Amino acid sequence: MNRQLILWILALIGLAVGSYGLWDRFANGHVNAAYGSYVPWGLWVAMYIYLVGLSAGAFLFSTLVYVFNFRPTTGASPAGDDGHGAMEAVGKLALFTALITLFAAMFCIWLDLGHPARAWKMLLQTNFGSVMGWMLWFYSAYFVLLLVEFWLAIRADLVRRAAHSGLARVLTFGSRDVSPEATARDRRRLRILGSLGVPLAIAFHGGVGALFGVVGARPFWNSGITPIMFLVGALLSGGALLTFLVSILGPGVGTRQHRDTVMLFGKIVLGLLAFDILLEWAEYSVLYYASIPAHADALRLVLFGQYWWVFWVIHLALGIVVPAVLLVAGRRSVAMVGTAGLLIAATFLSVRLNIVIPALALPEIEGLERAFSGPGLTFHYFPTATEWLVVVWVVSFAALVFLAGLRFLPVLSTSQEAAS
Amino acid sequence: MSQASTNELVDRRGFLKATGAALAFLGALEAAPETVARSLEATLPERADVPGAGPDADVLIRMQADLRRALEKSPAERHWIMVIDTRKCVGCHACTIACVAENKLPPGIVYRPVVEEEFGTFPRVTRRFTPKPCMQCEKPPCVPVCPVNATYTNEEGVVVVDYDQCIGCRYCITACPYSSRTFDIGQYYTPALPVVDGAVLGGSVDAYERASSFEYGEARPRGDDASPIGNVRKCHFCLHRVKAGMLPECVTTCIGRATMFGDANDPESVVSTMIARNNVVRLKEEMGTEPRVYYLI
């Protein structure tokens, strides 16, 4: 597992480097961050909607396995299996990815709060008239559902491992039954939970979009298409990440089944990419053509502002054109499809940044930026070193937990492996 | 800081010494805020008729009389509004600074900036000044978005923030169409200043910055991560002053009598007569927020 060793080393380096940012956040609060009063949300909020989108997307992909019973159409596979075992492993990987990215997202937004110690108020003293108030309830429900689903998905494997692994023994919580009936029961429960999860995931990620969509003061967000774009973006980025992960981690790297799984995911991602471009075109072209200043100014910042390259180079070239070419031209190569997945997933942060920042980087009252000066009283935003380092830390930490999960939990094992 | 400006500051030693008593008082605020709050209340004048507040009196005197009258009523019966006569504003920014002093606002926090706009090409220019406090909207977009009900309209119609409830998520800042909310990241003015023996500079005036303001009638010495650090802050029409029978600081300070304050639910008040005129506008009327700040143009 050389690939995993490289990832371990990278994640550990990231953790070490990023810890400076984390220390700065805890020691000095928000003093060394670039967001403030006029651009109140910055990289961490973008990171949060990015990660939570990955989570929702990965989760919805897991329902392909558990609810919709998708499998690559390969005919007879070498293992004599109908693809179910491999797809189960993909389902587990998807659920695990959804858990880790959700956790990372929550950590990012928790650090962004002015009073992180009061975060509990969101759950216990909720204003249900606020979209954000609903959010934490959705997240909590989703988190519990993910945990239970993941446990059910790995339960049988844990029981099989329990004989020689203390961790697995503890995590079985006393469950011992691996009979075909018990496994069938797990599958049934997974199907029910997955079915509940579909509307829940749509509600919470659509809700994150609505959180922005309902803000009448920011015309760039204030659109009915915003929650839909969040959802499609989540499916695209989460699906792309999963495609990448499956392409390098398996199950069964090198087998025909693995290749077919990756190709199937590649096709779905390509479809989602096309749909995402369609929505983006609809939103941007209408705004731009109408040219109502309050609406179009933010879009002009995205397209031709100081950070134009975020849209044209990172999003359009690296996040759309190159992956689209790889997915179409390289549709027989696992490496090419996997690379396309990585590119789409990684560059999607630029899409999230281009939602959050430009809408805030415009003075609501002309001349306000010159009326009074001070830290945070500016409409220019670029994340500081502290903000970047915190992101590096969070991503590295999430990667470490992910790698540890691969190492110590039966995330990737298939029932055939376990049986042998 | 350059040598010249340091000298200039040291030359002002006499002035600073003269204000020593005031600073000692402020130091005491930190020591025992409750005691000082009580003594503050004790020194306030009894609410009585303001002498000479006839129809021809200075508008400040008349507004003080309006205020006394309004305070006799129950809180729900008074509708505080502000009227800003842009024709009288000279763009001195005194209101901004007075507000900063009254509420001891740290760097990056501003409740009432004065927006300056310039029209024409130099030297053929005209300028316009628009003081911009919180609009205290009747339908405030910032209130419903708060996930924990930390911001709300109080019974007198002023949008307030509960500093102990606010989690600092800043959703309200994004929802405000007037950029009237600012986020307190915990900055201080003085640490960057030089420390000079015998003069009140740098670290030695730190006590002033850490002394409590009396926003919402609460004594909150500033320090560490205690609220309002980490909170969203905004103009509150100086409710703590109003409660004590004083006009908001920006109104008192305005050298041109351009800012007026009072009870819209009193046909005799100065502000009521002002907003009945035809030359009244409110900012971003199209948002439907129904601001309680009116501009005379």
Side-chain angles (χ1 to χ4, degrees), chain A residues 30-31 35-38 40-41 112-115 118 121-122 125-127 129-133 211 214-218 221 360 364-368 370-372 374-375 377, chain B residues 93 96 107-108 110 113-115 132 144-149 163-171 173-179 182-183 185 187 225 227 229-231 284 287:
Chain A
H30 299 263
V31 170
Y35 53 79
S37 293
Y38 291 162
W41 288 346
D112 192 69
L113 291 180
H115 284 279
R118 295 179 191 167
K121 284 173 184 282
M122 292 185 82
Q125 298 175 359
T126 318
N127 169 18
S130 162
V131 183
M132 197 189 276
L211 190 153
V214 297
V215 178
R218 312 286 173 174
W221 295 343
L360 299 167
E364 291 180 304
I365 306 275
E366 214 175 307
L368 191 60
R370 293 182 301 274
F372 196 77
L377 296 178
Chain B
H93 297 261
T96 311
V110 62
V114 177
V115 176
K132 193 195 63 66
V145 300
C146 176
V148 294
N149 289 310
Y163 284 158
D164 293 322
Q165 182 69 7
C166 171
I167 60 172
C169 73
R170 316 190 286 287
Y171 195 11
I173 300 185
T174 70
C176 173
Y178 304 99
S179 296
T182 44
F183 178 52
I185 53 171
Q187 296 267 16
D225 284 333
S227 286
I229 293 173
N231 288 130
K284 299 196 178 183
M287 298 288 298

Coordinates of all heavy atoms in Angstrom, one line a residue, chain A residues 30-31 35-38 40-41 112-115 118 121-122 125-127 129-133 211 214-218 221 360 364-368 370-372 374-375 377, chain B residues 93 96 107-108 110 113-115 132 144-149 163-171 173-179 182-183 185 187 225 227 229-231 284 287:
Chain A
H30 N -9.9 36.0 16.2 CA -10.1 36.3 14.8 C -9.2 37.4 14.3 O -9.4 37.9 13.2 CB -11.6 36.7 14.5 CG -12.5 35.6 14.9 ND1 -13.0 34.7 13.9 CD2 -13.1 35.2 16.0 CE1 -13.9 33.9 14.5 NE2 -13.9 34.1 15.8
V31 N -8.3 37.8 15.2 CA -7.5 39.0 14.9 C -6.7 38.9 13.6 O -6.6 39.8 12.8 CB -6.5 39.4 16.1 CG1 -5.5 40.4 15.7 CG2 -7.4 39.8 17.3
Y35 N -11.4 38.2 7.1 CA -12.8 38.6 7.1 C -13.0 39.5 8.3 O -12.2 39.6 9.2 CB -13.7 37.3 7.2 CG -13.3 36.4 8.4 CD1 -13.8 36.7 9.7 CD2 -12.6 35.3 8.2 CE1 -13.4 35.9 10.7 CE2 -12.2 34.4 9.3 CZ -12.7 34.8 10.5 OH -12.3 34.0 11.6
G36 N -14.1 40.2 8.2 CA -14.4 41.2 9.3 C -15.8 41.7 9.2 O -16.7 40.9 9.2
S37 N -16.0 43.0 9.2 CA -17.3 43.5 9.3 C -18.0 43.7 7.9 O -19.2 43.4 7.8 CB -17.3 44.9 10.0 OG -16.9 44.7 11.3
Y38 N -17.3 44.0 6.9 CA -17.9 44.3 5.6 C -17.9 43.0 4.7 O -18.8 42.7 4.0 CB -17.2 45.4 4.8 CG -17.5 46.8 5.5 CD1 -16.7 47.9 5.2 CD2 -18.6 46.9 6.4 CE1 -16.9 49.1 5.8 CE2 -18.8 48.2 7.0 CZ -18.0 49.2 6.7 OH -18.2 50.5 7.3
P40 N -18.0 39.6 6.0 CA -18.0 38.9 7.3 C -17.7 37.4 7.2 O -17.4 36.8 8.2 CB -19.5 39.1 7.8 CG -20.3 39.3 6.6 CD -19.4 40.0 5.6
W41 N -17.9 36.9 6.0 CA -17.6 35.4 5.8 C -16.5 35.3 4.8 O -16.4 36.0 3.8 CB -18.8 34.7 5.3 CG -19.9 34.5 6.3 CD1 -19.8 34.7 7.6 CD2 -21.3 34.2 6.0 NE1 -21.0 34.5 8.2 CE2 -21.9 34.1 7.3 CE3 -22.0 33.8 4.9 CZ2 -23.3 33.8 7.4 CZ3 -23.3 33.5 5.0 CH2 -24.0 33.5 6.3
D112 N -15.1 29.3 12.9 CA -15.5 30.5 12.3 C -16.4 31.4 13.3 O -16.5 32.6 13.1 CB -16.2 30.3 11.0 CG -16.4 31.6 10.2 OD1 -15.4 32.1 9.7 OD2 -17.5 32.1 10.1
L113 N -17.0 30.7 14.2 CA -17.9 31.4 15.2 C -17.1 32.4 16.0 O -16.0 32.1 16.4 CB -18.6 30.4 16.1 CG -19.7 29.5 15.4 CD1 -20.3 28.6 16.5 CD2 -20.8 30.3 14.7
G114 N -17.8 33.5 16.4 CA -17.2 34.5 17.3 C -17.1 33.9 18.7 O -16.2 34.2 19.5
H115 N -18.1 33.1 19.0 CA -18.1 32.4 20.4 C -18.3 30.9 20.2 O -19.4 30.4 20.3 CB -19.2 33.0 21.2 CG -18.8 34.3 21.8 ND1 -18.0 34.5 22.9 CD2 -19.1 35.6 21.4 CE1 -17.9 35.8 23.2 NE2 -18.5 36.5 22.3
R118 N -20.4 28.8 22.5 CA -21.8 28.9 22.5 C -22.5 28.1 21.4 O -23.7 28.3 21.2 CB -22.2 30.4 22.5 CG -21.8 31.2 23.6 CD -22.2 32.7 23.5 NE -21.5 33.5 24.5 CZ -21.5 34.8 24.4 NH1 -22.1 35.4 23.5 NH2 -20.8 35.5 25.4
K121 N -26.0 26.5 21.7 CA -27.2 27.3 21.7 C -28.0 27.1 20.4 O -29.2 27.2 20.4 CB -26.9 28.8 21.8 CG -26.6 29.3 23.2 CD -26.1 30.7 23.2 CE -25.6 31.2 24.6 NZ -26.7 31.5 25.5
M122 N -27.2 26.8 19.3 CA -27.9 26.6 18.0 C -28.9 25.4 18.1 O -29.9 25.4 17.4 CB -26.9 26.4 16.9 CG -26.1 27.6 16.6 SD -25.0 27.4 15.2 CE -26.1 27.7 13.9
Q125 N -31.3 26.4 21.8 CA -32.1 27.6 21.9 C -32.4 28.1 20.4 O -32.2 29.3 20.1 CB -31.4 28.7 22.7 CG -31.2 28.2 24.1 CD -30.3 29.2 24.9 OE1 -29.9 30.2 24.5 NE2 -30.2 28.8 26.2
T126 N -32.8 27.2 19.6 CA -32.9 27.4 18.2 C -34.0 28.4 17.8 O -35.1 28.4 18.4 CB -33.3 26.1 17.4 OG1 -32.5 25.1 18.0 CG2 -33.0 26.2 16.0
N127 N -33.7 29.3 16.9 CA -34.8 30.1 16.3 C -35.2 29.4 15.0 O -34.5 29.4 14.0 CB -34.2 31.5 16.0 CG -35.2 32.3 15.1 OD1 -36.3 32.0 15.0 ND2 -34.6 33.4 14.5
G129 N -37.2 30.2 12.9 CA -37.5 31.1 11.8 C -36.3 31.3 11.0 O -36.4 32.0 10.0
S130 N -35.1 30.9 11.5 CA -33.9 31.1 10.8 C -33.5 29.8 10.0 O -33.5 28.7 10.6 CB -32.8 31.5 11.8 OG -31.5 31.3 11.2
V131 N -33.1 30.0 8.8 CA -32.6 28.8 8.0 C -31.4 28.2 8.7 O -31.3 26.9 8.8 CB -32.3 29.2 6.6 CG1 -31.9 28.0 5.8 CG2 -33.4 29.9 5.9
M132 N -30.6 29.0 9.3 CA -29.4 28.5 9.9 C -29.8 27.7 11.2 O -29.1 26.8 11.6 CB -28.4 29.7 10.3 CG -27.0 29.2 10.6 SD -26.0 30.5 11.3 CE -25.4 31.2 9.8
G133 N -30.9 28.2 11.8 CA -31.4 27.5 13.0 C -31.8 26.0 12.7 O -31.4 25.1 13.4
L211 N -29.9 29.0 2.9 CA -29.3 29.9 3.8 C -28.8 31.1 3.1 O -28.9 32.3 3.5 CB -28.2 29.2 4.6 CG -27.6 29.8 5.8 CD1 -27.0 28.6 6.7 CD2 -26.4 30.7 5.5
V214 N -31.9 33.0 0.7 CA -33.0 33.8 1.3 C -32.5 35.2 1.6 O -33.3 36.1 2.0 CB -33.5 33.2 2.6 CG1 -34.2 31.9 2.3 CG2 -32.5 33.0 3.7
V215 N -31.2 35.5 1.5 CA -30.7 36.8 1.9 C -31.0 37.8 0.8 O -30.3 38.0 -0.1 CB -29.2 36.7 2.2 CG1 -28.6 38.1 2.6 CG2 -28.9 35.7 3.3
G216 N -32.0 38.6 1.1 CA -32.5 39.6 0.1 C -31.5 40.7 -0.1 O -31.5 41.4 -1.1
A217 N -30.7 40.9 0.9 CA -29.7 42.0 0.8 C -28.6 41.7 -0.1 O -27.8 42.6 -0.5 CB -29.1 42.3 2.2
R218 N -28.4 40.5 -0.5 CA -27.3 40.1 -1.4 C -27.9 39.5 -2.7 O -28.1 38.3 -2.8 CB -26.4 39.1 -0.8 CG -26.0 39.4 0.7 CD -24.9 40.5 0.7 NE -24.7 40.9 2.0 CZ -23.7 41.8 2.4 NH1 -23.0 42.4 1.5 NH2 -23.6 42.2 3.6
W221 N -26.9 36.1 -4.2 CA -27.3 34.9 -3.6 C -28.8 34.7 -3.7 O -29.3 33.5 -3.7 CB -27.0 34.9 -2.1 CG -25.6 34.9 -1.7 CD1 -24.5 34.6 -2.5 CD2 -25.1 35.2 -0.4 NE1 -23.4 34.8 -1.7 CE2 -23.7 35.1 -0.5 CE3 -25.6 35.6 0.8 CZ2 -22.8 35.4 0.6 CZ3 -24.8 35.9 1.9 CH2 -23.4 35.8 1.8
L360 N -20.3 39.5 -1.0 CA -20.0 40.3 0.1 C -19.0 41.4 -0.2 O -18.9 42.4 0.6 CB -19.5 39.4 1.3 CG -20.4 38.3 1.8 CD1 -19.6 37.3 2.6 CD2 -21.6 38.9 2.5
E364 N -22.6 47.9 0.1 CA -24.1 48.0 0.0 C -24.5 49.4 -0.1 O -25.5 49.8 -0.6 CB -24.7 47.3 1.2 CG -24.6 45.8 1.2 CD -25.3 45.2 2.4 OE1 -24.9 45.6 3.6 OE2 -26.1 44.4 2.3
I365 N -23.7 50.3 0.5 CA -23.9 51.7 0.4 C -22.6 52.3 -0.3 O -21.5 52.1 0.2 CB -24.0 52.3 1.8 CG1 -25.1 51.6 2.6 CG2 -24.2 53.8 1.8 CD1 -26.5 52.1 2.5
E366 N -22.8 53.0 -1.4 CA -21.7 53.5 -2.1 C -20.9 54.5 -1.3 O -21.4 55.4 -0.6 CB -22.1 54.2 -3.4 CG -21.1 53.9 -4.5 CD -21.6 54.5 -5.8 OE1 -22.7 54.1 -6.2 OE2 -20.9 55.3 -6.4
G367 N -19.6 54.3 -1.2 CA -18.7 55.2 -0.5 C -18.4 54.7 0.9 O -17.7 55.4 1.6
L368 N -19.1 53.6 1.3 CA -18.9 53.2 2.7 C -17.5 52.8 3.0 O -17.0 53.0 4.1 CB -19.9 52.0 2.9 CG -20.0 51.5 4.4 CD1 -20.6 52.6 5.2 CD2 -20.9 50.3 4.4
R370 N -14.9 54.2 2.2 CA -14.0 55.3 2.5 C -14.6 56.1 3.7 O -14.0 57.1 4.2 CB -14.0 56.3 1.3 CG -13.2 55.7 0.1 CD -13.1 56.7 -1.0 NE -14.5 57.1 -1.5 CZ -15.2 56.4 -2.3 NH1 -14.8 55.3 -2.9 NH2 -16.4 56.9 -2.7
A371 N -15.7 55.7 4.3 CA -16.3 56.5 5.4 C -15.6 56.3 6.7 O -15.5 57.3 7.5 CB -17.8 56.1 5.5
F372 N -15.1 55.2 7.0 CA -14.4 54.9 8.3 C -13.5 53.8 8.0 O -13.8 52.8 7.3 CB -15.5 54.5 9.3 CG -14.9 54.6 10.7 CD1 -14.8 55.8 11.4 CD2 -14.6 53.5 11.4 CE1 -14.3 55.9 12.7 CE2 -14.1 53.5 12.7 CZ -14.0 54.8 13.4
G374 N -10.6 50.8 9.4 CA -10.2 50.0 10.5 C -10.1 48.6 10.1 O -10.5 48.3 9.0
P375 N -9.6 47.7 11.0 CA -9.5 46.3 10.6 C -10.9 45.7 10.3 O -11.8 45.9 11.1 CB -8.8 45.6 11.8 CG -9.0 46.6 12.9 CD -9.1 47.9 12.3
L377 N -12.9 46.7 8.0 CA -13.8 47.6 7.4 C -13.3 47.8 5.9 O -13.0 48.9 5.5 CB -13.8 48.9 8.1 CG -14.4 48.9 9.5 CD1 -14.4 50.2 10.2 CD2 -15.9 48.3 9.5
Chain B
H93 N -17.8 64.5 10.8 CA -17.6 63.1 11.4 C -17.6 63.2 12.9 O -17.2 62.2 13.5 CB -16.3 62.5 10.9 CG -16.3 62.2 9.4 ND1 -16.6 60.9 8.9 CD2 -16.1 63.0 8.3 CE1 -16.5 61.0 7.5 NE2 -16.2 62.2 7.2
T96 N -19.6 60.3 14.4 CA -18.9 59.0 14.3 C -18.0 58.9 15.5 O -18.0 57.8 16.2 CB -18.1 58.9 13.0 OG1 -18.9 59.3 11.9 CG2 -17.6 57.6 12.8
P107 N -11.1 49.2 17.4 CA -10.9 49.3 16.0 C -11.7 48.4 15.2 O -12.0 47.2 15.6 CB -9.4 48.9 15.9 CG -8.8 49.2 17.2 CD -9.9 48.9 18.2
G108 N -12.2 48.8 14.1 CA -13.0 47.9 13.2 C -14.5 47.9 13.5 O -15.3 47.3 12.8
V110 N -17.8 50.3 14.0 CA -18.3 51.6 13.8 C -19.9 51.5 13.7 O -20.4 50.6 13.0 CB -17.7 52.3 12.5 CG1 -18.0 51.5 11.2 CG2 -18.1 53.7 12.4
P113 N -20.9 55.6 10.6 CA -20.0 56.2 9.6 C -20.7 57.3 8.9 O -21.9 57.3 8.8 CB -19.5 55.1 8.7 CG -20.7 54.1 8.8 CD -21.3 54.2 10.1
V114 N -20.0 58.3 8.4 CA -20.6 59.3 7.5 C -20.0 59.1 6.1 O -18.8 59.2 5.9 CB -20.2 60.8 8.0 CG1 -20.8 61.8 7.0 CG2 -20.8 61.0 9.4
V115 N -20.9 58.7 5.2 CA -20.5 58.4 3.9 C -20.4 59.7 3.1 O -21.2 60.6 3.1 CB -21.6 57.5 3.2 CG1 -21.2 57.2 1.7 CG2 -21.7 56.2 4.0
K132 N -24.7 57.5 8.5 CA -25.5 56.2 8.4 C -25.4 55.4 9.7 O -24.6 54.5 9.9 CB -24.9 55.4 7.2 CG -25.8 54.2 6.8 CD -25.0 53.3 5.9 CE -23.9 52.6 6.7 NZ -24.3 51.7 7.8
P144 N -34.8 37.9 11.7 CA -35.3 36.5 11.5 C -34.1 35.5 11.2 O -34.3 34.4 11.5 CB -36.3 36.6 10.4 CG -36.0 37.9 9.7 CD -35.4 38.8 10.7
V145 N -33.0 36.0 10.7 CA -32.0 35.1 10.3 C -31.2 34.6 11.5 O -30.5 33.5 11.4 CB -31.0 35.6 9.2 CG1 -31.8 36.0 7.9 CG2 -30.2 36.8 9.7
C146 N -31.2 35.3 12.6 CA -30.4 34.9 13.7 C -30.8 33.5 14.2 O -31.9 33.3 14.5 CB -30.5 35.9 14.9 SG -29.6 35.4 16.3
P147 N -29.8 32.6 14.2 CA -30.2 31.2 14.6 C -30.5 31.0 16.1 O -31.1 30.0 16.4 CB -28.9 30.4 14.2 CG -27.8 31.3 14.3 CD -28.4 32.7 13.9
V148 N -30.2 32.0 16.9 CA -30.4 31.8 18.4 C -31.2 32.9 19.0 O -31.1 33.1 20.2 CB -29.0 31.6 19.1 CG1 -28.4 30.3 18.7 CG2 -28.1 32.8 18.8
N149 N -31.9 33.7 18.2 CA -32.7 34.8 18.7 C -31.9 35.8 19.5 O -32.4 36.3 20.5 CB -33.9 34.3 19.6 CG -34.9 33.6 18.8 OD1 -35.4 34.1 17.8 ND2 -35.3 32.4 19.3
Y163 N -25.7 40.4 23.9 CA -24.3 40.0 23.8 C -24.0 38.6 24.3 O -23.1 38.0 23.9 CB -23.4 41.0 24.4 CG -23.2 42.3 23.6 CD1 -22.9 43.5 24.3 CD2 -23.4 42.3 22.3 CE1 -22.7 44.7 23.6 CE2 -23.2 43.5 21.6 CZ -22.8 44.7 22.2 OH -22.7 45.8 21.5
D164 N -24.8 38.2 25.3 CA -24.6 36.9 26.0 C -25.2 35.8 25.1 O -24.8 34.6 25.4 CB -25.1 36.9 27.4 CG -24.4 37.8 28.3 OD1 -23.2 37.9 28.2 OD2 -25.0 38.5 29.1
Q165 N -26.1 36.1 24.2 CA -26.7 35.1 23.4 C -26.0 34.9 22.1 O -26.0 33.8 21.5 CB -28.2 35.4 23.3 CG -29.0 34.4 22.5 CD -29.2 33.1 23.3 OE1 -28.9 33.0 24.4 NE2 -29.8 32.1 22.6
C166 N -25.5 36.0 21.5 CA -24.9 36.0 20.2 C -23.7 35.0 20.1 O -22.8 35.1 20.9 CB -24.5 37.4 19.8 SG -23.5 37.5 18.3
I167 N -23.8 34.2 19.1 CA -22.7 33.2 18.9 C -21.6 33.7 18.0 O -20.6 33.0 17.8 CB -23.2 31.8 18.5 CG1 -23.9 31.9 17.1 CG2 -24.2 31.2 19.5 CD1 -24.3 30.6 16.5
G168 N -21.9 34.8 17.3 CA -20.9 35.4 16.4 C -20.8 34.7 15.1 O -19.7 34.6 14.5
C169 N -22.0 34.3 14.6 CA -22.0 33.6 13.2 C -22.0 34.6 12.1 O -21.6 34.3 11.0 CB -23.1 32.6 13.1 SG -24.7 33.4 12.9
R170 N -22.4 35.8 12.4 CA -22.4 36.9 11.4 C -23.4 36.8 10.3 O -23.3 37.5 9.2 CB -21.0 37.1 10.9 CG -19.9 37.1 12.0 CD -18.6 37.5 11.6 NE -17.9 36.6 10.8 CZ -17.3 35.4 11.2 NH1 -17.5 35.0 12.4 NH2 -16.7 34.6 10.3
Y171 N -24.3 35.9 10.4 CA -25.4 35.8 9.4 C -26.1 37.1 9.3 O -26.5 37.5 8.2 CB -26.3 34.6 9.8 CG -27.2 34.1 8.7 CD1 -27.1 34.5 7.3 CD2 -28.3 33.2 9.0 CE1 -27.9 34.0 6.4 CE2 -29.1 32.7 8.0 CZ -29.0 33.1 6.7 OH -29.8 32.6 5.7
I173 N -25.0 40.1 9.6 CA -24.3 41.1 8.9 C -24.6 40.9 7.4 O -24.8 41.9 6.7 CB -22.8 40.9 9.1 CG1 -22.4 41.1 10.6 CG2 -22.0 42.0 8.3 CD1 -21.0 41.2 10.9
T174 N -24.6 39.7 6.9 CA -24.9 39.4 5.5 C -26.3 39.9 5.2 O -26.6 40.3 4.0 CB -24.7 38.0 5.1 OG1 -25.8 37.2 5.7 CG2 -23.4 37.4 5.6
A175 N -27.2 39.7 6.1 CA -28.6 40.0 5.8 C -29.0 41.5 5.9 O -30.0 41.9 5.4 CB -29.5 39.3 6.8
C176 N -28.1 42.3 6.5 CA -28.4 43.8 6.6 C -28.1 44.5 5.3 O -27.0 44.4 4.8 CB -27.6 44.4 7.7 SG -27.8 46.2 7.8
P177 N -29.1 45.1 4.7 CA -28.9 45.8 3.4 C -28.1 47.1 3.6 O -27.8 47.8 2.6 CB -30.3 46.1 2.9 CG -31.3 45.5 3.9 CD -30.5 45.3 5.1
Y178 N -27.9 47.5 4.8 CA -27.3 48.9 5.0 C -25.9 48.8 5.6 O -25.3 49.8 6.0 CB -28.2 49.7 6.0 CG -29.6 49.8 5.5 CD1 -30.6 49.0 6.0 CD2 -29.9 50.8 4.5 CE1 -31.9 49.1 5.5 CE2 -31.2 50.9 4.1 CZ -32.2 50.1 4.6 OH -33.5 50.2 4.1
S179 N -25.3 47.5 5.7 CA -24.0 47.3 6.3 C -23.9 48.0 7.7 O -22.9 48.6 8.1 CB -22.9 47.9 5.5 OG -22.8 47.1 4.3
T182 N -21.4 45.4 12.6 CA -19.9 45.1 12.5 C -19.6 44.1 13.5 O -20.3 43.8 14.5 CB -19.1 46.4 12.7 OG1 -19.6 47.1 13.9 CG2 -19.1 47.3 11.5
F183 N -18.5 43.4 13.2 CA -18.1 42.2 14.0 C -16.8 42.6 14.8 O -15.8 43.0 14.3 CB -17.7 41.1 13.0 CG -17.2 39.8 13.7 CD1 -17.9 39.2 14.7 CD2 -16.1 39.2 13.2 CE1 -17.5 38.1 15.3 CE2 -15.6 38.0 13.8 CZ -16.3 37.5 14.9
I185 N -13.7 41.8 16.5 CA -12.8 40.7 16.5 C -11.8 40.8 17.7 O -10.9 40.0 17.8 CB -12.0 40.6 15.2 CG1 -11.3 41.9 14.9 CG2 -12.9 40.1 14.1 CD1 -10.4 41.8 13.7
Q187 N -10.0 43.7 18.8 CA -8.8 44.6 18.6 C -8.8 45.7 19.6 O -9.8 46.1 20.2 CB -8.9 45.3 17.2 CG -8.8 44.3 16.0 CD -7.4 44.1 15.5 OE1 -6.5 44.4 16.2 NE2 -7.3 43.5 14.4
D225 N -11.7 37.1 26.0 CA -12.7 36.8 24.9 C -14.1 37.1 25.4 O -15.1 36.6 24.8 CB -12.5 35.4 24.5 CG -11.3 35.2 23.6 OD1 -10.9 36.1 23.0 OD2 -10.8 34.1 23.6
S227 N -17.7 38.8 25.9 CA -18.5 39.7 25.1 C -18.4 41.1 25.5 O -18.2 41.4 26.7 CB -20.0 39.2 25.3 OG -20.2 38.0 24.6
I229 N -16.6 41.1 22.7 CA -15.6 40.5 21.7 C -16.2 39.2 21.2 O -16.8 38.4 21.9 CB -14.3 40.3 22.4 CG1 -13.6 41.6 22.8 CG2 -13.3 39.5 21.5 CD1 -12.4 41.5 23.7
G230 N -16.1 39.1 19.9 CA -16.7 37.9 19.2 C -18.2 38.0 18.9 O -18.8 37.1 18.4
N231 N -18.7 39.2 19.2 CA -20.1 39.4 18.9 C -20.3 40.4 17.7 O -19.4 41.1 17.3 CB -20.8 40.1 20.1 CG -21.0 39.2 21.2 OD1 -20.7 39.5 22.4 ND2 -21.6 38.0 21.0
K284 N -32.9 52.9 0.7 CA -33.3 51.6 0.1 C -34.8 51.3 0.5 O -35.1 50.2 0.9 CB -32.4 50.5 0.6 CG -31.0 50.6 0.1 CD -30.2 49.4 0.3 CE -28.8 49.6 -0.2 NZ -28.0 48.3 -0.2
M287 N -36.5 48.0 -0.4 CA -36.2 46.7 0.3 C -37.4 46.4 1.2 O -37.5 45.3 1.7 CB -35.0 46.8 1.1 CG -33.7 47.0 0.4 SD -33.1 45.6 -0.6 CE -32.9 44.3 0.6

